[in-house]
Amino acid sequence: MPIQINEEKVSLIHSSGSSVEVYFYGATITSWRCGGKERLFLSKDSKLDELDGIKEIHGGIPLVFPQFAKASEPSAETANLPQHGTARFSTWKWLGVDVDNDEELTARFGLTDAQVPENLHKEWPKKFDLIFIVTLTADILKNILEVRNKGTEPFGFNALFHTYYSVPDISKVSIKGLNDITYSDKVKNFARFKDVKDSITIDQETDRIYENVPRDEFLIDLGQPGGVDNFTLKKFNLKDTVVWNPWIKARSMSDFGDEEYKNMVCVEPGTVTEYVKLEADKTWKGGQILKVQL
């Protein structure tokens, strides 16, 4: 069966054998397997059986909406929301399959403001519809987020795909495509720098927001012979990119293994340095395409 559904999640299985699992909680993708390997990192300490509207899943591809970081201005409309907003802490609905053939399998998930937990909804009572579209092929995972303003006034929002890649050895990983881009460094109190190296490597805690990135395609090179298992990331209508690895700070995180930082890196396309302004009855769309070199 290409689709398996239970009360917690949906599993999509492509004719090639590749598969993806999407939890209704947060519409978080927790697994993407292709070529016989798991391609996304999910902490072994993730408490998937304790999801209750306040926990977040560390791993997979969590969806961030309507804000990324805690709002810096107390007057901001999202000021009282938690980091990463509300979509990640809400239970989404299954909307069904759009495409099911030998080439691709595409499914949709939905969230309205009425589905947001009451304690969060009261802090940002905007009327909206979100549609999350997941497409799976033999070697590609495509994600699209659609945001529709169902209210009578414009609202502003951030959106981001918080993608955790599984890597065999972080010391061998290089990320290509973000050179000559200004970034703010959270580890260094949001000081601003420009990366002039051809590629980014990770050898310490890393938490950077690359701003207004003109390139739409990046390479996540795992350092394997012949480029096997490398990822290509394409983004669309997402102007910023976050790169994150907690390094040894992971040891103080209750749902993250002490040494797991050595086997993951987050490269997260989004629009987070400024709010997108969405007029009433209008729709915004952004997304990412992940491809594995098999």
Side-chain angles (χ1 to χ4, degrees), residues 108-141:
R108 297 157 64 94
F109 300 81
L111 180 72
T112 70
D113 56 283
Q115 295 164 239
V116 174
E118 184 178 355
N119 63 314
L120 299 177
H121 183 269
K122 69 180 182 180
E123 302 294 353
W124 198 72
K126 307 298 182 183
K127 294 186 178 299
F128 64 83
D129 284 342
L130 301 184
I131 303 294
F132 182 45
I133 304 170
V134 178
T135 297
L136 181 67
T137 76
D139 59 355
I140 287 174
L141 177 62

Side-chain angles (χ1 to χ4, degrees), residues 31-92:
S31 173
W32 170 36
R33 294 187 63 85
C34 68
K37 296 181 181 180
E38 177 59 58
R39 304 299 174 170
L40 299 177
F41 168 84
L42 179 68
S43 174
K44 62 180 178 58
D45 293 336
S46 289
K47 299 175 176 62
L48 298 179
D49 58 346
E50 299 179 16
L51 302 175
D52 57 6
I54 58 171
K55 297 270 193 326
E56 57 187 6
I57 297 174
H58 275 125
I61 309 179
L63 298 177
V64 173
F65 172 91
Q67 77 170 5
F68 173 57
K70 285 287 289 182
S72 58
E73 295 294 331
S75 60
E77 291 184 331
T78 58
N80 292 325
L81 293 180
Q83 177 170 296
H84 296 169
T86 61
R88 190 173 183 175
F89 303 101
S90 302
T91 300
W92 293 55

Side-chain angles (χ1 to χ4, degrees), residues 127-182:
K127 294 186 178 299
F128 64 83
D129 284 342
L130 301 184
I131 303 294
F132 182 45
I133 304 170
V134 178
T135 297
L136 181 67
T137 76
D139 59 355
I140 287 174
L141 177 62
K142 182 178 180 180
N143 309 138
I144 298 173
L145 181 65
E146 296 181 358
V147 182
R148 186 169 184 83
N149 183 348
K150 299 292 287 183
T152 58
E153 300 291 334
F155 63 68
F157 68 91
N158 296 149
L160 174 134
F161 296 91
H162 198 324
T163 309
Y164 290 71
Y165 292 91
S166 178
V167 303
D169 183 350
I170 190 61
S171 69
K172 296 181 180 180
V173 172
S174 59
I175 303 164
K176 299 177 172 64
L178 289 168
N179 53 300
D180 298 319
I181 306 297
T182 298

Side-chain angles (χ1 to χ4, degrees):
M1 292 289 291
I3 303 162
Q4 298 174 359
I5 305 174
N6 62 34
E7 62 182 13
E8 294 181 336
K9 64 186 178 182
V10 175
S11 298
L12 306 177
I13 304 167
H14 185 258
S15 59
S16 66
S18 65
S19 64
V20 63
E21 291 184 353
V22 187
Y23 268 70
F24 292 119
Y25 183 79
T28 301
I29 293 174
T30 55
S31 173
W32 170 36
R33 294 187 63 85
C34 68
K37 296 181 181 180
E38 177 59 58
R39 304 299 174 170
L40 299 177
F41 168 84
L42 179 68
S43 174
K44 62 180 178 58
D45 293 336
S46 289
K47 299 175 176 62
L48 298 179
D49 58 346
E50 299 179 16
L51 302 175
D52 57 6
I54 58 171
K55 297 270 193 326
E56 57 187 6
I57 297 174
H58 275 125
I61 309 179
L63 298 177
V64 173
F65 172 91
Q67 77 170 5
F68 173 57
K70 285 287 289 182
S72 58
E73 295 294 331
S75 60
E77 291 184 331
T78 58
N80 292 325
L81 293 180
Q83 177 170 296
H84 296 169
T86 61
R88 190 173 183 175
F89 303 101
S90 302
T91 300
W92 293 55
K93 289 184 178 180
W94 167 246
L95 300 182
V97 172
D98 282 351
V99 181
D100 181 4
N101 58 42
D102 289 342
E103 292 298 318
E104 71 173 66
L105 181 58
T106 297
R108 297 157 64 94
F109 300 81
L111 180 72
T112 70
D113 56 283
Q115 295 164 239
V116 174
E118 184 178 355
N119 63 314
L120 299 177
H121 183 269
K122 69 180 182 180
E123 302 294 353
W124 198 72
K126 307 298 182 183
K127 294 186 178 299
F128 64 83
D129 284 342
L130 301 184
I131 303 294
F132 182 45
I133 304 170
V134 178
T135 297
L136 181 67
T137 76
D139 59 355
I140 287 174
L141 177 62
K142 182 178 180 180
N143 309 138
I144 298 173
L145 181 65
E146 296 181 358
V147 182
R148 186 169 184 83
N149 183 348
K150 299 292 287 183
T152 58
E153 300 291 334
F155 63 68
F157 68 91
N158 296 149
L160 174 134
F161 296 91
H162 198 324
T163 309
Y164 290 71
Y165 292 91
S166 178
V167 303
D169 183 350
I170 190 61
S171 69
K172 296 181 180 180
V173 172
S174 59
I175 303 164
K176 299 177 172 64
L178 289 168
N179 53 300
D180 298 319
I181 306 297
T182 298
Y183 67 88
S184 58
D185 193 330
K186 185 177 179 180
V187 177
K188 298 179 179 178
N189 200 30
F190 294 98
R192 291 164 62 81
F193 302 93
K194 180 177 286 191
D195 235 322
V196 295
K197 298 179 182 178
D198 289 339
S199 60
I200 302 166
T201 55
I202 309 291
D203 58 7
Q204 59 186 324
E205 182 185 354
T206 302
D207 196 349
R208 303 175 179 178
I209 303 174
Y210 288 82
E211 306 168 4
N212 297 308
V213 180
R215 303 181 191 94
D216 289 329
E217 184 170 331
F218 314 109
L219 175 67
I220 303 166
D221 189 330
L222 304 193
Q224 304 297 302
V228 172
D229 295 334
N230 286 352
F231 296 98
T232 300
L233 162 62
K234 293 183 180 180
K235 64 180 178 69
F236 53 94
N237 203 26
L238 299 166
K239 68 185 189 68
D240 307 312
T241 302
V242 175
V243 177
W244 180 68
N245 181 295
W247 210 248
I248 61 172
K249 185 183 285 186
R251 296 170 184 171
S252 64
M253 300 166 65
S254 63
D255 54 354
F256 210 109
D258 287 354
E259 304 300 315
E260 286 184 326
Y261 69 88
K262 298 175 182 178
N263 300 115
M264 55 75 60
V265 66
C266 287
V267 183
E268 314 164 30
T271 178
V272 298
T273 54
E274 297 176 341
Y275 288 103
V276 175
K277 183 179 180 181
L278 188 62
E279 299 290 341
D281 204 35
K282 297 296 184 181
T283 298
W284 172 94
K285 182 187 299 185
Q288 64 173 5
I289 301 173
L290 317 181
K291 181 179 174 66
V292 177
Q293 181 173 330
L294 298 177

